[in-house]
Amino acid sequence: MEKMLMHFKRKDKFFKFKKDDLKHYPTYREILMQFSNFYGLGAFTLKQVDKYLWQAGKDYFPKQY
């Protein structure tokens, strides 16, 4: 999820934040809300958006062991 948000931040500049901001829940929630608004995801809950980012991140940025 972290890598996905950083990817979209670089790609579309949907909101200005730092990687460390994702570790602070109120700021993380605001980032998710901005992401949702920017991409027109109002029909989805923040939990659904978070889950999508987490699952997509596993596909796009798999851990390498």
Side-chain angles (χ1 to χ4, degrees), residues 38-60:
F38 185 87
Y39 292 105
L41 303 174
F44 301 97
T45 66
L46 291 181
K47 184 175 182 174
Q48 289 172 317
V49 172
D50 178 65
K51 189 173 183 178
Y52 161 75
L53 289 168
W54 174 64
Q55 290 175 333
K58 289 186 344 181
D59 290 338
Y60 289 105

Side-chain angles (χ1 to χ4, degrees), residues 13-37:
K13 298 173 181 44
F14 72 91
F15 190 60
K16 188 175 180 177
F17 64 94
K18 295 178 236 149
K19 187 176 179 180
D20 285 341
D21 293 338
L22 298 172
K23 296 176 182 172
H24 182 250
Y25 181 74
T27 308
Y28 171 70
R29 189 174 185 280
E30 178 64 24
I31 293 166
L32 273 186
M33 288 172 43
Q34 293 295 328
F35 179 86
S36 182
N37 290 337

